């Protein structure tokens, strides 16, 4: 399985982290230089929809992330890769990711994406209906609610999905990981997830989409400098807190209940 890894040119620490992870997993990969949101013209309505700029909290960084994933899709198409693994540079990879990604890819068809990492404040619920066994006691399953699973950290995607996304994704209207919107708009025909989720965020890294913020409170003004200056004890405490949040946001459960909106137009 060939991996395409998104990394900002100004983030060599993240590049060193992810390349070490990839080496341990034995994955073939290439680094795709991310689009830096700081270089974007937010007034370019052909590239970024005005509604995106108005509604998203960090429009420059979020647009850069969306355009970075779009550049990966274009590379997958130009390389003629039928199915590919897409990774962001702040994730932790299991040692068996290569075999797992191959097993997931073997199950994909049409315009489909399979998420290996999900961020959700509530446990993600998945249906037993049509679930497929994967290596490592994992399964590939459909979410009960297509709105729930979000993450661009790690996923396997088909070339057909890439072609549709490239054709229809501009101007950028939603963030890179709003899979339910891509499904609703017909850019992808099925969204599934591998679970328990094999890929997780590394708590040592904060988001590059926007500057760290807790709002305009006094606490936010105190915490911001700590994050950037990395005061040892407090920085470690923040890392621990972030790690706990990441664990909570990657919970999943398989249930027997009707779909709220079944995220599939394909035969199971």
């Amino acid at each position: 399985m060939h991996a395409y890894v998104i990394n900002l040119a100004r983030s060599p620490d993240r590049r060193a982290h992810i390349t070490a992870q990839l080496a341990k997993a034995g994955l073939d990969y290439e680094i795709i230089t991310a689009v830096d949101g700081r270089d974007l013209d937010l007034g370019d309505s052909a590239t970024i929809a005005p509604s995106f700029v108005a509604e998203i909290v960090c429009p420059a960084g979020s647009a850069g992330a969306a355009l970075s994933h779009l550049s990966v899709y274009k590379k997958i198409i130009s390389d003629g890769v039928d199915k590919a693994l897409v990774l962001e540079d702040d994730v932790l990879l299991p040692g068996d990711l290569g075999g797992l990604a191959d097993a997931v890819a073997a199950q994909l068809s049409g315009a489909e994406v399979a998420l290996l990492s999900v961020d959700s404040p509530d446990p993600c619920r998945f249906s037993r209906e049509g679930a497929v066994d994967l290596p490592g006691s994992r399964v590939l399953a459909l979410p009960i609610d297509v709105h729930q699973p979000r993450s661009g950290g790690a996923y396997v995607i088909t070339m057909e999905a890439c072609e549709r996304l490239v054709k229809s994704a501009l101007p950028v209207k939603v963030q890179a990981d709003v899979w339910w919107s891509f499904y609703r708009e017909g850019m992808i025909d099925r969204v599934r997830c591998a679970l328990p989720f094999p890929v997780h965020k590394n708590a040592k890294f904060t988001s590059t989409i926007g500057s760290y913020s807790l709002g305009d409170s006094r606490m936010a003004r105190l915490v911001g400098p700590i994050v950037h200056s990395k005061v040892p004890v407090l920085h470690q405490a923040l890392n621990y807190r972030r790690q706990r949040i990441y664990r909570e946001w990657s919970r999943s459960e398989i249930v027997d209940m009707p779909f709220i909106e079944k995220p599939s137009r394909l035969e199971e």
Side-chain angles (χ1 to χ4, degrees), residues 2 27 41 64 73 104 108 110 143 148 151 165 186 192 226 234 256:
H2 189 68
L27 280 165
D41 176 6
Y73 305 151
V104 169
L108 305 189
Q148 195 175 26
S151 176
L165 286 160
R192 289 188 285 180
I226 294 171
L234 293 177
D256 292 306

Side-chain angles (χ1 to χ4, degrees), residues 137-198:
S137 300
R138 294 189 174 93
V139 297
L140 185 64
L142 290 162
I144 294 295
D145 184 358
V146 69
H147 286 84
Q148 195 175 26
R150 287 188 58 170
S151 176
Y155 56 93
V156 180
I157 192 168
T158 66
M159 183 190 291
E160 185 174 337
C162 292
E163 290 171 340
R164 292 196 203 173
L165 286 160
V166 166
K167 182 179 179 180
S168 305
L170 291 180
V172 173
K173 303 179 186 68
V174 296
Q175 292 166 298
D177 61 354
V178 186
W179 301 106
W180 68 264
S181 178
F182 300 142
Y183 175 73
R184 286 270 186 90
E185 295 297 320
M187 297 181 217
I188 51 179
D189 285 333
R190 183 163 59 191
V191 180
R192 289 188 285 180
C193 298
L195 54 131
F197 305 121

